Amino acid sequence: MTTDTMSTTRTRRGALELVAAMGLSGTLGVFVLESGASSFNVVFFRCVFGALALTGYCLFRGYLRNTGLTRRTLALAALGGVFIVFNWVLLFSAYGRTSISVATVVYHTQPFYVVLLGVPFFRTGLDRHRVGWIVVAFVGVLLVADVSTADLTGGSGYLLGVGQALLAALLYAFATVIAKYLTIRPELTALIQVLVGIVLLLPFTRLGDTAGIDARWGWLVGLGVIHTCVMYILLYSSYQKLTTDRIAVLSFVYPAVAILVDFAVYGHRIGPLQMLGVPLIVAAGLGVNLGLRLLPGGRRPAPERHTPAPAPVPAGQEVRR
């Protein structure tokens, strides 16, 4: 097999892995809502079952030997876990206040926060093109939020859900920035973060509320095993095989699947005005990640030197460029 053929095969496999990971991400909201548990309880048990599954996987692969952990990396991974865990709590709460579709699309503003945080933390440039794309994205957010819909669905509760999705995206961006300073395996980072989540959320978790959920335990187990362990493995494996531009494009499978699943399962559909906002956010996301020029004149901006943040999971390993 020639080098070119091997490279093509590797890229195709990475693309399939990333599409699978994004597809799983799109079903996340159904598992959360069908569990019937509060957002704190859902995240707590996601961390518990995710920790069990990730521990088994790391033991099987030998990742718990020679981990390379230092006090600094452990502290950074734990801090990232704090941001990740509360990002989940806010996003899951937003599902119930708005809808899976609206919360997911608004949450997909993560890359723009990462770009903004890159200015003080990594001294990356923020030219007029990137500023323009960020403005386009938040115009899209305003359209997706659709105040008229908020009036119909309870006003402040709906808008609070939109705000929770935006804040969840910001917390995820902080976790992404922290991950840039980590040199340990991403699976190990994820394990540390869910372990932190167990300790952090235990005081907020109402264990007594789980007495009557019966068969709905399956949804909570699925969140830990499928949407944490399996999805992480697929996601990080794909990052090693794909370039940043491919990741940026394929990441939008996530909100697309979420919108389709929300309609298929719950009959929720986004309105005409909201439909205008979705492509604005998608186009802005691609523009920022691919370094596309928005305004006339000037040089084409270079793409950001970071891995896009496509899904509600901790950022991890650097990708091949």
Side-chain angles (χ1 to χ4, degrees):
M1 186 178 292
T2 65
T3 303
D4 289 343
T5 303
M6 291 177 61
S7 177
T8 301
T9 301
R10 177 182 172 86
T11 299
R12 287 177 179 173
R13 182 178 176 183
L16 289 174
E17 289 172 339
L18 184 54
V19 168
M22 295 298 99
L24 289 176
S25 297
T27 65
L28 183 70
V30 173
F31 279 70
V32 171
L33 296 180
E34 291 300 310
S35 73
S38 69
S39 56
F40 279 106
N41 277 21
V42 170
V43 176
F44 175 78
F45 286 108
R46 179 183 187 178
C47 289
V48 169
F49 294 120
L52 291 173
L54 282 166
T55 298
Y57 177 76
C58 289
L59 282 172
F60 176 74
R61 297 299 299 268
Y63 294 158
L64 297 183
R65 297 192 300 268
N66 301 319
T67 60
L69 276 173
T70 64
R71 288 183 180 181
R72 178 178 179 275
T73 55
L74 181 59
L76 285 173
L79 179 59
V82 174
F83 289 121
I84 284 295
V85 166
F86 283 109
N87 141 78
W88 284 341
V89 171
L90 288 166
L91 179 63
F92 294 172
S93 180
Y95 288 153
R97 293 181 184 276
T98 57
S99 69
I100 295 172
S101 301
V102 170
T104 301
V105 172
V106 172
Y107 182 63
H108 217 69
T109 55
Q110 304 153 4
F112 311 110
Y113 289 124
V114 174
V115 169
L116 292 173
L117 290 174
V119 175
F121 284 100
F122 305 117
R123 297 183 180 179
T124 56
L126 188 63
D127 56 30
R128 58 186 182 136
H129 299 288
R130 291 197 178 96
V131 171
W133 284 123
I134 291 171
V135 170
V136 169
F138 282 99
V139 169
V141 169
L142 291 176
L143 291 173
V144 170
D146 191 4
V147 177
S148 63
T149 299
D151 293 337
L152 294 173
T153 57
S156 60
Y158 178 90
L159 294 179
L160 176 60
V162 172
Q164 287 176 323
L166 283 171
L167 183 55
L170 178 60
L171 293 182
Y172 183 81
F174 275 111
T176 301
V177 170
I178 290 171
K180 292 278 289 180
Y181 293 97
L182 295 174
T183 56
I184 59 176
R185 289 200 64 88
E187 295 89 350
L188 187 57
T189 300
L191 176 58
I192 293 170
Q193 291 176 337
V194 292
L195 289 173
V196 167
I198 294 173
V199 176
L200 196 62
L201 294 181
L202 185 57
F204 303 99
T205 304
R206 297 180 179 179
L207 297 177
D209 292 349
T210 63
I213 65 174
D214 301 323
R216 287 178 291 174
W217 274 109
W219 298 105
L220 295 175
V221 173
L223 282 169
V225 176
I226 299 173
H227 292 94
T228 306
C229 182
V230 174
M231 192 169 70
Y232 284 162
I233 294 167
L234 289 170
L235 193 69
Y236 296 137
S237 178
S238 70
Y239 281 1
Q240 296 170 3
K241 301 178 181 73
L242 298 174
T243 54
T244 301
D245 56 345
R246 288 180 182 270
I247 292 174
V249 173
L250 293 176
S251 294
F252 287 97
V253 170
Y254 166 38
V257 170
I259 291 171
L260 291 174
V261 168
D262 196 21
F263 174 72
V265 178
Y266 300 111
H268 294 159
R269 63 179 74 194
I270 56 179
L273 192 62
Q274 293 171 307
M275 284 291 289
L276 293 176
V278 173
L280 288 181
I281 295 174
V282 171
L286 293 175
V288 164
N289 280 303
L290 303 182
L292 302 179
R293 188 169 58 187
L294 176 64
L295 303 172
R299 293 185 301 174
R300 181 181 184 274
E304 285 291 336
R305 302 294 292 177
H306 66 78
T307 299
V313 293
Q317 202 161 320
E318 286 297 314
V319 297
R320 179 176 58 85
R321 288 175 173 84

